[in-house]
Amino acid sequence: MKGKYIGSRFCGNRGFTLVELLIVVAIMMILVTITVSQFQTAKKKANDVARKSDLNGVAKALQMYFTDYGIFPAANPAGKIMIGGAAIDWGSEFNDGGYVYMKILPRENKIGAPPYCYKTDTYKKKYALLAMLENTVDKECLNPVTYDCGGSTNSYCFAYVSPNTSLDADGNLQ
C-alpha cells in the first residue's frame, strides 16, 4: 500500500482510473445527446408556432378582404393570392391598390419545405391556407394531404380554412 498516514488519515495517490474516466465521459455523452435532441424538438415546435401564427395573420387579412368584397381573392395554380389578375408573391404586400390588408405576406423560410399554399373554391366563398409542419407528431398535423401547389405536388399537414368550410381527406374544400 502506497501513501502514508498523516495524523489519523491515510493520504494515498489521488487520481482517477481509466475506467472511472471512461464512465464519466460516457455519462456526459449521454447527457449531451439528450440535450441536443430536446433542443432540436423545441426548435421544430417553435418554427411550427411561427408558421401557425403566420397563417393566422393571413387568414385575418383574407377575412378583411371578404368583408370588403363579399368574396375571397382568387388563387393561382402556384398557390398564391391573386388581386386584379396579378399574383402576390409570398413575402410581398397584400393590398388591393387602395387598402393594405397585410404589409408583408409571410413565406416559408425553411429550405426544402413546400411553400405556403392558398386555394379557393370555384365561387371564392371558401379558402384554405396550407403548410407543412416540421413536428409531424403535432396534434394539429393531420394526415398529410398531397396537393399540386406551385407546379409541383407537395405534402401539407396543417391548414387554416375559412369559417364556413373544412377540408376532406384529399384536401378539397367542402
Side-chain angles (χ1 to χ4, degrees):
M1 178 174 351
K2 294 184 179 179
K4 56 184 173 179
Y5 284 96
I6 301 176
S8 62
R9 292 181 26 191
F10 178 77
C11 296
N13 294 336
R14 296 189 179 230
F16 293 105
T17 66
L18 181 60
V19 172
E20 291 170 331
L21 288 174
L22 288 175
I23 290 172
V24 169
V25 169
I27 291 170
M28 289 175 54
M29 288 175 58
I30 291 169
L31 292 174
V32 166
T33 302
I34 291 169
T35 303
V36 168
S37 69
Q38 290 300 318
F39 175 75
Q40 292 298 329
T41 301
K43 187 176 175 185
K44 286 179 182 180
K45 287 180 181 180
N47 290 340
D48 288 344
V49 167
R51 281 183 187 88
K52 292 174 185 179
S53 177
D54 287 346
L55 292 184
N56 185 32
V58 176
K60 289 177 182 176
L62 289 168
Q63 287 300 128
M64 288 188 289
Y65 185 93
F66 185 84
T67 300
D68 290 345
Y69 294 98
I71 60 172
F72 291 107
N76 76 354
K80 296 179 182 178
I81 297 170
M82 297 201 41
I83 303 289
I88 302 172
D89 289 327
W90 294 102
S92 300
E93 184 175 79
F94 173 18
N95 69 60
D96 64 358
Y99 183 80
V100 176
Y101 294 97
M102 192 167 205
K103 189 65 178 161
I104 297 176
L105 278 173
R107 66 174 165 219
E108 176 61 64
N109 289 322
K110 183 174 187 240
I111 296 171
Y116 295 146
C117 185
Y118 170 71
K119 65 180 189 172
T120 61
D121 69 331
T122 307
Y123 306 105
K124 298 184 218 160
K125 297 290 185 181
K126 303 173 184 178
Y127 74 87
L129 291 165
L130 305 166
M132 185 64 189
L133 300 181
E134 289 180 55
N135 182 21
T136 55
V137 296
D138 186 311
K139 65 181 179 181
E140 292 180 320
C141 188
L142 307 172
N143 296 331
V145 172
T146 302
Y147 182 71
D148 184 17
C149 198
S152 62
T153 303
N154 296 307
S155 284
Y156 298 94
C157 73
F158 179 79
Y160 262 103
V161 295
S162 55
N164 60 343
T165 192
S166 62
L167 290 176
D168 65 14
D170 295 325
N172 299 312
L173 292 164
Q174 295 191 351

